[in-house]
Amino acid sequence: MTTPSILSLTRRHLVAGGLLGAATHALPSLAADAWPSKPVRLIVPFPPGGPVDTTARVASQKLSEIWKTPMVIDNRAGAGGVVGAQAAAREAPDGYTLFLGAIHHSVNPSLMGNLPYDIEKDFAPISFAAMFPVFIVAHPSVPANTIQELIALAKKGTPLAYGSSGNGGGTHLAGELFNMEAGTKLQHIPYKGSAPAMNDLLGGQVQLMFSDAPTALQHIKSGRIKVLGVASRQRSAMLPNVPTGVESGLPGYEAYSWAALFAPAKTPQAVLDKINTDFNTAFKDPAVRQRLLEAGAEADPGTQEQMRKRLRSELDKWAKVIKTAGITAG
């Protein structure tokens, strides 16, 4: 007897016994036993070449090995990550389309409003993927070598401006959170991207930057800029001798960029569990972790519940910063 006839016969017996609802509920776990049986698509809401895209490509190579089926990158850039998120939210919840979200998706609800998706309701969290440290860097002419010295300099009234990748971007928000926690009034100068902001920092047109690691590391190592601290709660493996804001007397200061893996809402839990397990296996691999470090990222996998809580914390934190600082998109 073939499998379809067995399932048909089982369904007739369940209907007769009034148990069809229970059987239907169990079907997703049966389907997960064979997952994946075809290529898995990963929607990346940013162009190729950036840190989130690099994280996706490192992950896809290792997961393709684990799953023995290709993981295909689908770049859907636009509107600060909105275009890709909207596309991913509309996909079938079968585990064959995943989404690599970023810090933008915890900022956009407060910055933009009226989004065509809800990052919590329309997606199922799987795992955080990578953390991109934010370094507080200064032009060599700035007479401060630590966060404490920077705060003292700012409070004396010394004019200090920091460049960012643009209004509402992660490098802007890190600066405004610093102002809130340190009681300073560093002036914000928005640019169209991190690269032009860094160029003006190198030239001394701005004095400071709250920079992601991929943008800052080469210039820190060359001595063209100096690093005063790192904004994450833990020291970075990239520059382990650099103290954190917490160590420097700012207990509430924590800012970093991140990438995290989502699936469309209502994806079967058994499939989510398998993806989480395999994703954690991939991101604990020493070769994967080293490739991420070389790209300015630190592997940061975990459980689905940890991701859910961290996402809610990020949404709340940036909503407060955006409201307090009066930040608008643009």
Side-chain angles (χ1 to χ4, degrees):
M1 185 177 292
T2 64
T3 300
S5 61
I6 290 174
L7 291 175
S8 299
L9 181 61
T10 302
R11 182 177 288 272
R12 286 198 296 272
H13 281 296
L14 289 169
V15 170
L19 298 175
L20 180 59
T24 302
H25 179 73
L27 285 177
S29 64
L30 296 175
D33 293 341
W35 187 96
S37 60
K38 61 181 182 180
V40 177
R41 182 163 58 114
L42 178 59
I43 293 179
V44 178
F46 304 103
V52 177
D53 178 73
T54 300
T55 301
R57 294 180 189 279
V58 171
S60 66
Q61 182 176 343
K62 189 62 179 180
L63 289 171
S64 293
E65 295 175 8
I66 294 173
W67 292 336
K68 298 180 174 25
T69 190
M71 189 176 199
V72 181
I73 304 299
D74 182 0
N75 293 95
R76 299 283 192 95
V82 172
V83 171
Q86 182 179 12
R90 293 173 173 174
E91 292 293 329
D94 56 8
Y96 288 100
T97 298
L98 304 177
F99 174 65
L100 195 66
I103 184 175
H104 306 64
H105 298 99
S106 63
V107 173
N108 288 343
S110 297
L111 188 65
M112 298 180 180
N114 299 317
L115 295 172
Y117 64 88
D118 185 304
I119 195 63
E120 291 184 292
K121 295 180 181 178
D122 294 333
F123 291 93
I126 297 175
S127 174
F128 264 82
M131 188 267 284
F132 311 101
V134 170
F135 292 104
I136 304 167
V137 294
H139 188 267
S141 63
V142 175
N145 295 307
T146 66
I147 290 177
Q148 295 99 323
E149 290 176 357
L150 173 63
I151 294 171
L153 191 66
K155 289 186 174 180
K156 284 197 302 186
T158 303
L160 295 168
Y162 71 95
S164 82
S165 59
N167 282 329
T171 55
H172 177 199
L173 295 171
E176 291 306 316
L177 181 60
F178 183 90
N179 277 335
M180 290 169 56
E181 294 296 327
T184 54
K185 295 182 179 180
L186 304 176
Q187 182 185 2
H188 172 233
I189 308 295
Y191 290 80
K192 293 182 178 180
S194 293
M198 179 57 70
N199 285 338
D200 269 11
L201 176 63
L202 293 171
Q205 283 78 30
V206 292
Q207 292 74 47
L208 303 162
M209 192 170 171
F210 296 80
S211 177
D212 57 68
T215 303
L217 275 177
Q218 60 177 317
H219 303 301
I220 294 171
K221 292 177 179 178
S222 71
R224 296 187 68 190
I225 56 176
K226 56 185 176 181
V227 57
L228 310 185
V230 63
S232 48
R233 192 162 290 276
Q234 303 294 329
R235 292 194 180 197
S236 170
M238 300 172 205
L239 296 172
N241 293 326
V242 175
T244 68
V246 174
E247 292 176 285
S248 304
L250 302 177
Y253 188 58
E254 182 180 24
Y256 55 89
S257 294
W258 50 262
L261 190 65
F262 297 82
K266 299 183 181 179
T267 298
Q269 186 59 47
V271 173
L272 295 175
D273 290 343
K274 177 172 175 53
I275 297 171
N276 175 271
T277 297
D278 293 342
F279 192 80
N280 273 263
T281 297
F283 270 58
K284 289 175 182 177
D285 181 273
V288 169
R289 299 177 80 89
Q290 182 59 37
R291 286 185 63 194
L292 289 172
L293 277 176
E294 291 170 358
E298 297 180 8
D300 193 25
T303 68
Q304 296 165 64
E305 184 59 26
Q306 286 172 335
M307 178 176 164
R308 184 178 291 106
K309 289 180 178 179
R310 283 178 65 182
L311 177 61
R312 172 36 54 190
S313 175
E314 288 282 286
L315 286 161
D316 290 342
K317 176 172 67 178
W318 298 126
K320 180 180 178 181
V321 172
I322 288 167
K323 181 178 180 180
T324 302
I327 298 171
T328 57

